[in-house]
PDB file of all heavy atoms in Angstrom:
ATOM      1  N   GLN A  96      51.593 140.735 116.255  1.00  0.00           N
ATOM      2  CA  GLN A  96      50.828 140.683 117.492  1.00  0.00           C
ATOM      3  C   GLN A  96      49.528 141.474 117.357  1.00  0.00           C
ATOM      4  O   GLN A  96      49.482 142.500 116.678  1.00  0.00           O
ATOM      5  CB  GLN A  96      51.644 141.262 118.645  1.00  0.00           C
ATOM      6  CG  GLN A  96      52.906 140.490 118.935  1.00  0.00           C
ATOM      7  CD  GLN A  96      53.741 141.183 120.010  1.00  0.00           C
ATOM      8  OE1 GLN A  96      53.358 142.208 120.559  1.00  0.00           O
ATOM      9  NE2 GLN A  96      54.885 140.610 120.303  1.00  0.00           N
ATOM     10  N   LYS A  97      48.495 141.000 118.037  1.00  0.00           N
ATOM     11  CA  LYS A  97      47.191 141.674 117.993  1.00  0.00           C
ATOM     12  C   LYS A  97      47.242 143.116 118.486  1.00  0.00           C
ATOM     13  O   LYS A  97      46.587 143.971 117.907  1.00  0.00           O
ATOM     14  CB  LYS A  97      46.161 140.866 118.770  1.00  0.00           C
ATOM     15  CG  LYS A  97      45.834 139.552 118.097  1.00  0.00           C
ATOM     16  CD  LYS A  97      44.867 138.727 118.904  1.00  0.00           C
ATOM     17  CE  LYS A  97      44.641 137.395 118.215  1.00  0.00           C
ATOM     18  NZ  LYS A  97      43.749 136.532 118.989  1.00  0.00           N
ATOM     19  N   PRO A  98      48.021 143.435 119.544  1.00  0.00           N
ATOM     20  CA  PRO A  98      48.084 144.841 119.971  1.00  0.00           C
ATOM     21  C   PRO A  98      48.614 145.781 118.879  1.00  0.00           C
ATOM     22  O   PRO A  98      48.191 146.928 118.794  1.00  0.00           O
ATOM     23  CB  PRO A  98      49.019 144.819 121.176  1.00  0.00           C
ATOM     24  CG  PRO A  98      48.926 143.432 121.714  1.00  0.00           C
ATOM     25  CD  PRO A  98      48.713 142.560 120.502  1.00  0.00           C
ATOM     26  N   VAL A  99      49.519 145.289 118.046  1.00  0.00           N
ATOM     27  CA  VAL A  99      50.035 146.112 116.942  1.00  0.00           C
ATOM     28  C   VAL A  99      48.896 146.424 115.980  1.00  0.00           C
ATOM     29  O   VAL A  99      48.734 147.560 115.527  1.00  0.00           O
ATOM     30  CB  VAL A  99      51.200 145.402 116.212  1.00  0.00           C
ATOM     31  CG1 VAL A  99      51.630 146.190 114.987  1.00  0.00           C
ATOM     32  CG2 VAL A  99      52.372 145.185 117.151  1.00  0.00           C
ATOM     33  N   ILE A 100      48.073 145.420 115.685  1.00  0.00           N
ATOM     34  CA  ILE A 100      46.939 145.621 114.781  1.00  0.00           C
ATOM     35  C   ILE A 100      45.974 146.636 115.385  1.00  0.00           C
ATOM     36  O   ILE A 100      45.563 147.583 114.719  1.00  0.00           O
ATOM     37  CB  ILE A 100      46.214 144.292 114.498  1.00  0.00           C
ATOM     38  CG1 ILE A 100      47.164 143.312 113.802  1.00  0.00           C
ATOM     39  CG2 ILE A 100      44.963 144.527 113.645  1.00  0.00           C
ATOM     40  CD1 ILE A 100      46.647 141.894 113.730  1.00  0.00           C
ATOM     41  N   ARG A 101      45.626 146.439 116.644  1.00  0.00           N
ATOM     42  CA  ARG A 101      44.677 147.354 117.299  1.00  0.00           C
ATOM     43  C   ARG A 101      45.193 148.789 117.307  1.00  0.00           C
ATOM     44  O   ARG A 101      44.434 149.733 117.083  1.00  0.00           O
ATOM     45  CB  ARG A 101      44.402 146.883 118.721  1.00  0.00           C
ATOM     46  CG  ARG A 101      43.459 145.714 118.772  1.00  0.00           C
ATOM     47  CD  ARG A 101      43.028 145.422 120.202  1.00  0.00           C
ATOM     48  NE  ARG A 101      42.748 144.016 120.327  1.00  0.00           N
ATOM     49  CZ  ARG A 101      43.582 143.110 120.835  1.00  0.00           C
ATOM     50  NH1 ARG A 101      44.747 143.472 121.301  1.00  0.00           N
ATOM     51  NH2 ARG A 101      43.241 141.851 120.891  1.00  0.00           N
ATOM     52  N   ASN A 102      46.482 148.983 117.562  1.00  0.00           N
ATOM     53  CA  ASN A 102      47.067 150.332 117.557  1.00  0.00           C
ATOM     54  C   ASN A 102      47.080 150.925 116.159  1.00  0.00           C
ATOM     55  O   ASN A 102      46.841 152.113 115.982  1.00  0.00           O
ATOM     56  CB  ASN A 102      48.485 150.311 118.119  1.00  0.00           C
ATOM     57  CG  ASN A 102      48.510 150.155 119.611  1.00  0.00           C
ATOM     58  OD1 ASN A 102      47.573 150.518 120.303  1.00  0.00           O
ATOM     59  ND2 ASN A 102      49.584 149.589 120.125  1.00  0.00           N
ATOM     60  N   ALA A 103      47.367 150.108 115.166  1.00  0.00           N
ATOM     61  CA  ALA A 103      47.524 150.602 113.797  1.00  0.00           C
ATOM     62  C   ALA A 103      46.216 151.043 113.163  1.00  0.00           C
ATOM     63  O   ALA A 103      46.210 151.898 112.282  1.00  0.00           O
ATOM     64  CB  ALA A 103      48.187 149.536 112.929  1.00  0.00           C
ATOM     65  N   ILE A 104      45.092 150.470 113.609  1.00  0.00           N
ATOM     66  CA  ILE A 104      43.814 150.797 112.958  1.00  0.00           C
ATOM     67  C   ILE A 104      43.039 151.883 113.689  1.00  0.00           C
ATOM     68  O   ILE A 104      41.898 152.165 113.342  1.00  0.00           O
ATOM     69  CB  ILE A 104      42.933 149.537 112.776  1.00  0.00           C
ATOM     70  CG1 ILE A 104      42.606 148.882 114.122  1.00  0.00           C
ATOM     71  CG2 ILE A 104      43.571 148.577 111.809  1.00  0.00           C
ATOM     72  CD1 ILE A 104      41.623 147.729 114.020  1.00  0.00           C
ATOM     73  N   LYS A 105      43.669 152.525 114.655  1.00  0.00           N
ATOM     74  CA  LYS A 105      43.020 153.659 115.315  1.00  0.00           C
ATOM     75  C   LYS A 105      42.851 154.786 114.295  1.00  0.00           C
ATOM     76  O   LYS A 105      43.533 154.805 113.261  1.00  0.00           O
ATOM     77  CB  LYS A 105      43.857 154.110 116.506  1.00  0.00           C
ATOM     78  CG  LYS A 105      43.803 153.114 117.654  1.00  0.00           C
ATOM     79  CD  LYS A 105      44.605 153.581 118.826  1.00  0.00           C
ATOM     80  CE  LYS A 105      44.502 152.551 119.948  1.00  0.00           C
ATOM     81  NZ  LYS A 105      45.375 152.846 121.071  1.00  0.00           N
ATOM     82  N   PRO A 106      41.970 155.746 114.557  1.00  0.00           N
ATOM     83  CA  PRO A 106      41.742 156.836 113.596  1.00  0.00           C
ATOM     84  C   PRO A 106      43.046 157.469 113.106  1.00  0.00           C
ATOM     85  O   PRO A 106      43.934 157.762 113.890  1.00  0.00           O
ATOM     86  CB  PRO A 106      40.906 157.835 114.402  1.00  0.00           C
ATOM     87  CG  PRO A 106      40.165 156.981 115.380  1.00  0.00           C
ATOM     88  CD  PRO A 106      41.142 155.877 115.746  1.00  0.00           C
ATOM     89  N   GLY A 107      43.127 157.628 111.795  1.00  0.00           N
ATOM     90  CA  GLY A 107      44.315 158.214 111.185  1.00  0.00           C
ATOM     91  C   GLY A 107      45.399 157.200 110.911  1.00  0.00           C
ATOM     92  O   GLY A 107      46.460 157.536 110.401  1.00  0.00           O
ATOM     93  N   GLY A 108      45.146 155.938 111.223  1.00  0.00           N
ATOM     94  CA  GLY A 108      46.156 154.897 111.054  1.00  0.00           C
ATOM     95  C   GLY A 108      45.983 154.124 109.761  1.00  0.00           C
ATOM     96  O   GLY A 108      45.437 154.631 108.777  1.00  0.00           O
ATOM     97  N   LEU A 109      46.407 152.888 109.797  1.00  0.00           N
ATOM     98  CA  LEU A 109      46.335 152.007 108.639  1.00  0.00           C
ATOM     99  C   LEU A 109      44.967 151.317 108.609  1.00  0.00           C
ATOM    100  O   LEU A 109      44.245 151.312 109.603  1.00  0.00           O
ATOM    101  CB  LEU A 109      47.449 150.966 108.718  1.00  0.00           C
ATOM    102  CG  LEU A 109      48.863 151.530 108.851  1.00  0.00           C
ATOM    103  CD1 LEU A 109      49.871 150.403 109.025  1.00  0.00           C
ATOM    104  CD2 LEU A 109      49.221 152.380 107.646  1.00  0.00           C
ATOM    105  N   LEU A 110      44.637 150.734 107.480  1.00  0.00           N
ATOM    106  CA  LEU A 110      43.386 149.996 107.343  1.00  0.00           C
ATOM    107  C   LEU A 110      43.685 148.551 106.966  1.00  0.00           C
ATOM    108  O   LEU A 110      44.710 148.258 106.343  1.00  0.00           O
ATOM    109  CB  LEU A 110      42.495 150.647 106.282  1.00  0.00           C
ATOM    110  CG  LEU A 110      41.992 152.043 106.619  1.00  0.00           C
ATOM    111  CD1 LEU A 110      41.264 152.654 105.433  1.00  0.00           C
ATOM    112  CD2 LEU A 110      41.080 152.011 107.842  1.00  0.00           C
ATOM    113  N   ILE A 111      42.787 147.663 107.347  1.00  0.00           N
ATOM    114  CA  ILE A 111      42.933 146.240 107.045  1.00  0.00           C
ATOM    115  C   ILE A 111      42.292 145.958 105.696  1.00  0.00           C
ATOM    116  O   ILE A 111      41.155 146.366 105.438  1.00  0.00           O
ATOM    117  CB  ILE A 111      42.256 145.380 108.128  1.00  0.00           C
ATOM    118  CG1 ILE A 111      42.901 145.637 109.493  1.00  0.00           C
ATOM    119  CG2 ILE A 111      42.324 143.899 107.761  1.00  0.00           C
ATOM    120  CD1 ILE A 111      42.159 144.998 110.657  1.00  0.00           C
ATOM    121  N   LEU A 112      43.024 145.246 104.843  1.00  0.00           N
ATOM    122  CA  LEU A 112      42.476 144.795 103.565  1.00  0.00           C
ATOM    123  C   LEU A 112      41.705 143.501 103.831  1.00  0.00           C
ATOM    124  O   LEU A 112      42.266 142.532 104.329  1.00  0.00           O
ATOM    125  CB  LEU A 112      43.594 144.548 102.557  1.00  0.00           C
ATOM    126  CG  LEU A 112      43.177 143.960 101.207  1.00  0.00           C
ATOM    127  CD1 LEU A 112      42.245 144.922 100.459  1.00  0.00           C
ATOM    128  CD2 LEU A 112      44.419 143.661 100.363  1.00  0.00           C
ATOM    129  N   ASN A 113      40.410 143.508 103.510  1.00  0.00           N
ATOM    130  CA  ASN A 113      39.592 142.324 103.718  1.00  0.00           C
ATOM    131  C   ASN A 113      38.866 142.006 102.414  1.00  0.00           C
ATOM    132  O   ASN A 113      38.147 142.855 101.876  1.00  0.00           O
ATOM    133  CB  ASN A 113      38.586 142.552 104.848  1.00  0.00           C
ATOM    134  CG  ASN A 113      37.934 141.270 105.299  1.00  0.00           C
ATOM    135  OD1 ASN A 113      37.432 140.501 104.475  1.00  0.00           O
ATOM    136  ND2 ASN A 113      37.944 141.028 106.599  1.00  0.00           N
ATOM    137  N   CYS A 114      39.062 140.786 101.921  1.00  0.00           N
ATOM    138  CA  CYS A 114      38.444 140.362 100.664  1.00  0.00           C
ATOM    139  C   CYS A 114      37.540 139.149 100.855  1.00  0.00           C
ATOM    140  O   CYS A 114      37.246 138.435  99.898  1.00  0.00           O
ATOM    141  CB  CYS A 114      39.529 140.048  99.631  1.00  0.00           C
ATOM    142  SG  CYS A 114      40.573 141.445  99.195  1.00  0.00           S
ATOM    143  N   HIS A 115      37.120 138.893 102.084  1.00  0.00           N
ATOM    144  CA  HIS A 115      36.234 137.757 102.332  1.00  0.00           C
ATOM    145  C   HIS A 115      34.807 138.162 101.954  1.00  0.00           C
ATOM    146  O   HIS A 115      34.318 139.213 102.384  1.00  0.00           O
ATOM    147  CB  HIS A 115      36.298 137.336 103.801  1.00  0.00           C
ATOM    148  CG  HIS A 115      35.714 135.990 104.035  1.00  0.00           C
ATOM    149  ND1 HIS A 115      34.362 135.777 104.090  1.00  0.00           N
ATOM    150  CD2 HIS A 115      36.304 134.778 104.188  1.00  0.00           C
ATOM    151  CE1 HIS A 115      34.136 134.495 104.283  1.00  0.00           C
ATOM    152  NE2 HIS A 115      35.304 133.866 104.347  1.00  0.00           N
ATOM    153  N   PRO A 116      34.110 137.341 101.176  1.00  0.00           N
ATOM    154  CA  PRO A 116      32.776 137.738 100.698  1.00  0.00           C
ATOM    155  C   PRO A 116      31.730 137.891 101.813  1.00  0.00           C
ATOM    156  O   PRO A 116      30.744 138.607 101.622  1.00  0.00           O
ATOM    157  CB  PRO A 116      32.385 136.611  99.737  1.00  0.00           C
ATOM    158  CG  PRO A 116      33.261 135.466 100.081  1.00  0.00           C
ATOM    159  CD  PRO A 116      34.522 136.040 100.655  1.00  0.00           C
ATOM    160  N   ASP A 117      31.941 137.254 102.949  1.00  0.00           N
ATOM    161  CA  ASP A 117      30.968 137.345 104.039  1.00  0.00           C
ATOM    162  C   ASP A 117      31.332 138.393 105.089  1.00  0.00           C
ATOM    163  O   ASP A 117      30.663 138.499 106.114  1.00  0.00           O
ATOM    164  CB  ASP A 117      30.817 135.980 104.739  1.00  0.00           C
ATOM    165  CG  ASP A 117      30.275 134.924 103.805  1.00  0.00           C
ATOM    166  OD1 ASP A 117      29.526 135.274 102.872  1.00  0.00           O
ATOM    167  OD2 ASP A 117      30.618 133.741 103.997  1.00  0.00           O
ATOM    168  N   PHE A 118      32.384 139.157 104.845  1.00  0.00           N
ATOM    169  CA  PHE A 118      32.809 140.142 105.832  1.00  0.00           C
ATOM    170  C   PHE A 118      31.788 141.274 105.924  1.00  0.00           C
ATOM    171  O   PHE A 118      31.410 141.869 104.927  1.00  0.00           O
ATOM    172  CB  PHE A 118      34.183 140.725 105.474  1.00  0.00           C
ATOM    173  CG  PHE A 118      34.610 141.826 106.390  1.00  0.00           C
ATOM    174  CD1 PHE A 118      34.975 141.552 107.698  1.00  0.00           C
ATOM    175  CD2 PHE A 118      34.633 143.143 105.957  1.00  0.00           C
ATOM    176  CE1 PHE A 118      35.361 142.573 108.556  1.00  0.00           C
ATOM    177  CE2 PHE A 118      35.023 144.170 106.802  1.00  0.00           C
ATOM    178  CZ  PHE A 118      35.388 143.881 108.101  1.00  0.00           C
ATOM    179  N   ASN A 119      31.345 141.553 107.137  1.00  0.00           N
ATOM    180  CA  ASN A 119      30.419 142.646 107.368  1.00  0.00           C
ATOM    181  C   ASN A 119      30.671 143.181 108.780  1.00  0.00           C
ATOM    182  O   ASN A 119      30.206 142.589 109.751  1.00  0.00           O
ATOM    183  CB  ASN A 119      28.973 142.167 107.216  1.00  0.00           C
ATOM    184  CG  ASN A 119      28.012 143.323 107.141  1.00  0.00           C
ATOM    185  OD1 ASN A 119      28.401 144.441 106.816  1.00  0.00           O
ATOM    186  ND2 ASN A 119      26.762 143.070 107.450  1.00  0.00           N
TER     187      ASN A 119
END
Side-chain angles (χ1 to χ4, degrees):
Q96 297 175 2
K97 292 177 183 178
V99 174
I100 298 168
R101 283 190 209 99
N102 285 334
I104 60 174
K105 289 181 179 173
L109 305 176
L110 295 173
I111 299 171
L112 175 63
N113 193 310
C114 298
H115 195 282
D117 297 331
F118 175 71
N119 193 21

